[in-house]
Amino acid sequence: MSNIYRIALLAALLLTQKLFAQVKVPANQIAYSPVQRCATDEAIQKRYLTDPAFRALMDERTREYRQAIDDGVSPLTNRNNILTGPITIPVVVHVVLPNPWMITDNDVQYFIDRMNLDFSGLNPDSTNCGSFCNIRGHSLIRFTLAKRDMNGNFTTGIERLVGTTTIGASEPQGVKNAATPSGGLAAWDVTNYYNLWVAVGSGGLLGIAPEIGTGTATNDGVCVDYRAFTNSCIANPSFNLSRTAVHEVGHNFGLHHTFQSGCSNGDFAQLTSANCSLPAGLLAAIDNTPPQSASTSGCPAVGTANGCTPSEPKNYQNYMDYTNDACYSMFTTSQVQRMEWLLENCRPGYLTTLGGQYPAGMPALDAKAAIIVSPGGNDFDEGTCTTVAYPIPACTGSFTPRVRVTNGGITTLTSITVTTTINGTNTQVQNIATSIATGRSVVLALNSQVAVPGANLLTITLSAPNSGADAIPADNTISTTFTIAVPGSLPYAQDFVSAAFPPPGITVVNNDGAISWSRNTNGNGNAGSAYINLFDYSVQNQVDDMVMNVSGVNPGDTAILSFDVSYRPYTAALTSTFFDTLSVLYSPDCGVTTTASTYKKWGAALGTVPASSSAYTAPTVWRRDTAYIRSAGNVMRVIIRCTNRYGNNLYLDNINLAKKSPHIYRFTGNGNWNLGANWSEGIIPPSTLPNGDMILIDPLPGGECVLNVSQTVSSAGSIIVVTGKQFRIPGNLQIL
């Protein structure tokens, strides 16, 4: 495990970000090495350098802080002492990920449970406090998932959105803005709800908190990287106990890092918000939080000197240091005092909010159709730790509809009747046994439906929960429309000049819901191309397809697929694992089975320009590549497949798919006409040979071809026997 990066100044942060841009690490490694534990200090420093008003405020508060040290005032006279028992704050968790369901309901509940254990000081590992047990604090702050929304209606307290917006090292965060094109979710009322966002941390960032204070709609609540949010299969093993969230929420409730000002004990430096000023009585003179000369990485040995007083051990167990999650275990009593003061004085809405209580008149039975998962959606398999994609059928065929059902009633759902239709027909009714607790959801797999070429309307309706009446029937029905490409005919040509993408005749299959094929305005001799951003696509081995379905072919027909390609290998691809791959496959049965063509290129063989560690953003050199495809039916399905290995950007242009004419069927074996092994490429001629095609009889030396079936050759077709070869016809040969 690499050492955790600790960055104290904005300049250092910017340097680190530059290094991240130069040294690519695959996604299965980037979650773990290297990471930036927290960017709160850097965000404050950046604002200090760029915002004169904020800088003046911080300077004023620093003077107040230093005066309080000189005065040595007592904190007790400045506590409101409102808290007579635990205060439970409703939390809204906003998840913005390419597949937001990889953060499960169980994951979110684990986070809530961890927050309550750690803030209360009742965490099982609290005894790991060493010599600091006498100052270990027990906060009265508690957390629960929101149970009623801002309109007073029931909510699970979890919002999920398919998006690619990342968490940055400064505020404001795009992930907090619903207008962000790559995906964002707006905060709920910050006076009554605590908001937390889960997304991908940019450059290995694990978490960040905004400035301390009462909060605004665009600057409140913390952000946590999904790999540090909970204890699940996707978590970084060093940060898998939800304690990044504990750390960041600590910031939002008034705490600085324990190493904030080194040995001068800056943990209790003045708050930096104009609307929440800490009184002098809660400043550094009375703080019992041990100062740290520097942050702590990993899990140090017990008794490690703190660097300020060498004879004293480090309080590396403190949640506001930078140790691994397993080595955290405590807040100090002074930290608890400060957080509770901030709750009482800066966030008074939390003392009276009803957001954590179920709405009045909560129904007994309410089954909610939350989202259609299949077709066109994603789920997450916790057992295999993989995203499960349910793509829209690429051609006509059956599929299994799936719907996520949420329990909005107070009674556990044990059975539901589900009705499905496709285009208003083929009604399927089934009663499904299940078990869904209040506020939880499950995905139900339903009876198969058959999609048709063109537009399809799938409608799913829930009824009779637990064989009773649903209290809110308005949320029982959900629909989705999807389109299956009508098979085109050969020849097919596409230059991607039109702004529409995918263009007619092409279907994009994006299995993980993340980066996939899109349109770029740089083409080969025109203003368009198909493009996939492999430079930023850190999740390795993901497959993204462009699919073409064409009719007007016969079994055994050969098609030629040609296209222009431009690609720059990533430097490391020449010596390591960054081998982006482009291949061509075909399928006779709508993707149930696929066969690889002879075209497959990667690394230097795929490249058209020399390798480089910089992103390939302007394709300059193109190459014309060709693949041959053999049809096994009357519809030919051709797949252009990109397999991501986190290399560099790939461009395709001027795709052409045409039937090769004439087609020659070659008998090269011995004996039975109707045996695939006797024919070149295993393709037996159709019983009626199409116009222009040819059958060539060329058996093994000393062998023969035996026509033991009926064969018709059209007037414009031909059958030729190689000189000296044997052709015996016990069957029926008809030449028109």
Side-chain angles (χ1 to χ4, degrees), residues 95-103 161-164 198-200 226 234 513:
V95 184
V96 181
L97 289 169
N99 178 15
W101 293 103
M102 65 195 308
I103 299 297
L161 178 70
V162 176
T164 58
V198 181
V200 176
Y226 76 103
I234 62 174

Side-chain angles (χ1 to χ4, degrees), residues 307-544:
C308 294
T309 306
S311 61
E312 299 292 330
K314 264 196 169 188
N315 184 208
Y316 64 82
Q317 305 94 332
N318 198 293
Y319 296 123
M320 303 314 294
D321 202 345
Y322 271 178
T323 54
N324 293 352
D325 278 14
C327 294
Y328 280 148
S329 64
M330 62 172 290
F331 290 116
T332 67
T333 55
S334 291
Q335 288 173 319
V336 167
Q337 283 184 330
R338 183 166 185 163
M339 289 190 291
E340 293 182 352
W341 183 93
L342 187 138
L343 171 64
E344 295 174 357
N345 295 275
C346 303
R347 312 304 290 262
Y350 291 160
L351 303 176
T352 57
T353 179
L354 300 178
Q357 302 177 21
Y358 287 119
M362 186 86 165
L365 296 172
D366 178 29
K368 301 178 180 291
I371 187 172
I372 291 178
V373 178
S374 173
N378 293 312
D379 199 7
F380 188 75
D381 187 332
E382 294 179 84
T384 61
C385 200
T386 57
T387 290
V388 182
Y390 300 104
I392 294 170
C395 52
T396 303
S398 64
F399 68 96
T400 300
R402 288 176 167 84
V403 62
R404 183 173 291 277
V405 178
T406 300
N407 184 2
I410 60 176
T411 305
T412 297
L413 293 177
T414 57
S415 67
I416 305 170
T417 297
V418 185
T419 303
T420 65
T421 63
I422 191 81
N423 299 320
T425 63
N426 194 29
T427 301
Q428 301 282 326
V429 182
Q430 57 194 123
N431 188 265
I432 300 176
T434 185
S435 180
I436 312 174
T438 301
R440 295 298 184 95
S441 65
V442 300
V443 174
L444 303 180
L446 311 176
N447 291 339
S448 64
Q449 287 282 3
V450 179
V452 299
N456 290 265
L457 174 63
L458 173 66
T459 301
I460 300 174
T461 301
L462 312 178
S463 62
N466 296 2
S467 301
D470 196 299
I472 309 177
D475 59 22
N476 288 2
T477 299
I478 191 169
S479 298
T480 187
T481 301
F482 59 94
T483 300
I484 293 180
V486 177
S489 58
L490 297 180
Y492 175 80
Q494 182 55 242
D495 59 8
F496 303 100
V497 171
S498 172
F501 192 91
I506 291 179
T507 300
V508 172
V509 180
N510 179 12
N511 290 311
D512 63 350
I515 292 171
S516 190
W517 291 103
S518 61
R519 180 179 178 271
N520 192 278
T521 55
N522 296 300
N524 186 22
N526 57 53
S529 64
Y531 156 80
I532 185 166
N533 180 7
L534 303 175
F535 187 85
D536 295 319
Y537 196 2
S538 62
V539 184
Q540 287 200 70
N541 300 317
Q542 289 297 322
V543 170
D544 290 87

Side-chain angles (χ1 to χ4, degrees), residues 1-23:
M1 177 63 61
S2 298
N3 289 332
I4 301 173
Y5 283 13
R6 314 300 184 201
I7 307 169
L9 299 174
L10 177 63
L13 173 65
L14 296 176
L15 174 61
T16 301
Q17 292 175 329
K18 183 178 180 181
L19 292 174
F20 279 132
Q22 295 174 338
V23 182

